[in-house]
Amino acid sequence: MTNNEIVMQGSPSMENTLLIDKPITNKNYALKTAGFWIRFWAFLLDGFVITAVVGILVNPIFYLMDWSLSETVWYAPISIISAILYYSYFVLITKFFGQTLGKMIFGLRVISLKHEKLTWSDVLFRDWIGRIINSIFMPLYILVAILPDNQGLHDFFADTTVVHENIYIEKDIVQPSLLVKEEKTDSVSQEEKTQPEKLEGKNEE
């Protein structure tokens, strides 16, 4: 038995209870969250994949139709199609596999902090709305290195995070303080026994 273990039989009464200030901690293992740099390299690899898909599938069509590929305004046909492919890639691959190709290569996975599996709302908030905001304000990606559980802003919106698939870290689970029955000491019981003896002695005198 360790110093933090307390064995007690029966239910304690509220009259003689003692609140233990030090909570009991148990060891638990959880998947390690992925930091900024490894997520950055996975994201960069995903960017290469999307660029390759656009180059293979979209660009030839634009060449055949004699459409411009050099327009940079957001409403240009190439910008709209590229955006659709970009967000569809992250939303669909993450929903069905829990990880993009970049995350697969680096052994990362997206998990929900409130559901057992990723839901459509989780993925849409994370990889559509959250990524649009991050794309407009690129420095927000640095939040991955600051927020708890290495969450980016898009993770924070969806209550998700990214973890290493096969790396676990030890965490302490703190249990609430216990109410333990207070046992009277031997000195108190001895004192109670001596009082009747003193009274008997006085009566004899």
Side-chain angles (χ1 to χ4, degrees):
M1 183 185 300
T2 64
N3 294 332
N4 288 333
E5 293 179 350
I6 298 174
V7 178
M8 184 179 65
Q9 294 181 349
S11 58
S13 64
M14 295 304 295
E15 294 179 357
N16 297 320
T17 57
L18 176 64
L19 181 63
I20 295 182
D21 294 330
K22 294 182 179 180
I24 297 175
T25 58
N26 291 330
K27 298 296 182 182
N28 187 41
Y29 291 91
L31 287 167
K32 181 182 178 181
T33 55
F36 172 80
W37 285 110
I38 192 168
R39 290 178 62 172
F40 170 77
W41 295 119
F43 175 75
L44 200 63
L45 188 57
D46 287 325
F48 289 145
V49 171
I50 296 170
T51 301
V53 170
V54 172
I56 294 171
L57 299 180
V58 178
N59 288 2
I61 297 174
F62 273 69
Y63 282 122
L64 289 174
M65 302 299 297
D66 197 21
W67 293 342
S68 175
L69 290 168
S70 60
E71 293 184 64
T72 56
V73 291
W74 67 269
Y75 52 83
I78 186 61
S79 299
I80 294 174
I81 293 175
S82 298
I84 291 173
L85 289 174
Y86 176 84
Y87 293 111
S88 297
Y89 168 82
F90 282 103
V91 169
L92 296 176
I93 299 294
T94 302
K95 176 62 180 74
F96 291 112
F97 299 99
Q99 51 190 167
T100 58
L101 293 176
K103 290 184 177 67
M104 290 179 189
I105 292 173
F106 285 95
L108 306 179
R109 177 176 293 275
V110 181
I111 62 169
S112 173
L113 298 178
K114 60 181 179 179
H115 302 127
E116 185 176 348
K117 294 183 178 180
L118 290 171
T119 64
W120 279 109
S121 62
D122 294 336
V123 177
L124 289 173
F125 271 103
R126 182 185 190 276
D127 289 304
W128 182 34
I129 299 174
R131 285 193 184 276
I132 288 176
I133 297 173
N134 280 336
S135 298
I136 297 172
F137 305 101
M138 292 294 290
L140 290 177
Y141 275 111
I142 200 65
L143 292 177
V144 172
I146 300 172
L147 290 178
D149 296 321
N150 294 117
Q151 290 180 297
L153 185 65
H154 51 309
D155 289 310
F156 185 77
F157 284 151
D159 265 346
T160 60
T161 190
V162 179
V163 297
H164 295 267
E165 285 190 289
N166 299 312
I167 300 178
Y168 290 82
I169 58 174
E170 190 178 81
K171 286 188 175 181
D172 290 338
I173 298 181
V174 180
Q175 296 180 349
S177 301
L178 298 176
L179 286 175
V180 179
K181 188 174 182 180
E182 182 181 8
E183 297 181 357
K184 294 182 179 180
T185 61
D186 294 338
S187 60
V188 175
S189 59
Q190 290 292 337
E191 187 177 334
E192 291 177 352
K193 290 179 180 179
T194 55
Q195 287 179 356
E197 293 177 357
K198 290 180 180 180
L199 292 174
E200 289 177 1
K202 288 181 180 180
N203 292 334
E204 290 177 359
E205 291 177 355

